[in-house]
Amino acid sequence: MPLPSIPGYNRLTKTHKYSAAGIAAAGAAAIAIAVVPGGDAGAKTTAQDLPNKPVALTSQKADSQAHHEALVKQSALAAKQAKEEAAAKKKAAEEAAAKKAAEEAAAKKAAEVKAAKERAVQQAANRSTARIETVAAAKDTKKTYPNNLDGWIRESLDIMKQKGIPGSYNGIYRNIIRESGGNPRAINLWDINARNGVPSKGLLQVIAPTFKQYHVEGTSWDLYDPVANITAACNYAAARYGSMDNVNGPY
């Protein structure tokens, strides 16, 4: 049976053509049954048993479309979950790195503070050691003087300089030679002081009360000690005459 002439039929897809053909065939069969009264059961059965293939194809296409959409949604969900997991891992890694960096910075700072304290302690110890060494060196380099008239005068002059007592080498030497001739054990037993029981003694012939009054701290309390005798006599002369240099006779 030729297919009916349908406007635009040639532009339909193959599936649409099958569907249209099926519908046309079914319609024709129905018309045939209605026109032929008392038709046999075989003809009727044949018309009713025609397969509706185009309808089945349409259903399969719908199922395929739904399955495809489900796969697309599932794929999108999986991609979203993977992206979220990657973001979470990245964030965790960044937080761990930041924590590690903070711990390292804190440890570095603590080490620097400790090192600074240790340097300060070491520097203080070095300064203390340096002071001790300086004092020891000063003691080791203490000035020494010969044990003679020249040495006694020079040592006395250094002490006088520290105490602010005026006097010169020549002034001291001149008076020593006149008073005792340079003998530290000299004693006057004939002048008025001797008659009064307080004889003059030593290089510059000092009596005991004068020595005691004008004794200079740091020197011996022995009246016969050359340095103590010279220094006390110069201290007395400075108080009474301005300086031993101004003494040119008995004083």
Side-chain angles (χ1 to χ4, degrees):
M1 178 177 178
L3 294 175
S5 177
I6 301 174
Y9 177 76
N10 292 329
R11 293 194 300 271
L12 296 176
T13 64
K14 185 176 181 181
T15 301
H16 291 163
K17 288 179 180 179
Y18 282 144
S19 298
I23 293 170
I31 293 172
I33 293 171
V35 172
V36 183
D40 58 32
K44 184 175 181 181
T45 299
T46 300
Q48 291 176 346
D49 291 340
L50 288 173
N52 191 5
K53 291 182 179 180
V55 175
L57 290 172
T58 302
S59 177
Q60 290 175 2
K61 182 179 180 182
D63 290 342
S64 177
Q65 181 67 22
H67 181 66
H68 175 71
E69 292 177 353
L71 289 176
V72 171
K73 290 181 179 180
Q74 186 177 3
S75 178
L77 179 60
K80 181 179 179 182
Q81 290 177 345
K83 184 176 181 180
E84 290 176 349
E85 290 177 357
K89 289 181 179 180
K90 182 179 179 181
K91 183 178 179 182
E94 290 175 348
E95 290 177 349
K99 182 179 179 181
K100 183 178 179 181
E103 290 175 350
E104 290 177 349
K108 182 179 180 181
K109 182 66 176 179
E112 291 176 350
V113 171
K114 183 180 179 180
K117 289 181 178 180
E118 290 176 350
R119 284 196 301 272
V121 171
Q122 186 60 47
Q123 290 172 355
N126 291 342
R127 287 194 294 270
S128 178
T129 301
R131 285 194 295 271
I132 293 173
E133 291 176 350
T134 300
V135 172
K139 290 182 178 178
D140 292 340
T141 58
K142 183 178 179 180
K143 190 174 181 179
T144 58
Y145 306 87
N147 188 26
N148 54 32
L149 182 58
D150 178 72
W152 302 331
I153 294 174
R154 293 187 184 283
E155 186 174 355
S156 294
L157 284 170
D158 286 342
I159 296 172
M160 291 164 58
K161 183 177 181 181
Q162 294 174 4
K163 303 297 184 178
I165 300 172
S168 68
Y169 185 98
N170 290 333
I172 295 172
Y173 180 82
R174 184 183 70 249
N175 282 284
I176 287 176
I177 296 302
R178 186 189 68 251
E179 294 290 334
S180 65
N183 179 11
R185 305 299 299 182
I187 182 171
N188 188 325
L189 297 176
W190 55 268
D191 67 1
I192 186 62
N193 291 323
R195 291 195 294 272
N196 291 334
V198 284
S200 302
K201 300 177 180 180
L203 290 173
L204 284 170
Q205 294 294 285
V206 183
I207 61 175
T210 302
F211 177 80
K212 184 177 180 179
Q213 183 179 355
Y214 291 95
H215 174 264
V216 176
E217 184 180 359
T219 63
S220 172
W221 280 96
D222 181 4
L223 181 58
Y224 286 108
D225 180 85
V227 175
N229 187 283
I230 294 172
T231 309
C234 288
N235 192 25
Y236 163 73
R240 186 168 183 179
Y241 304 103
S243 172
M244 182 61 75
D245 293 347
N246 298 330
V247 178
N248 296 300
Y251 63 107

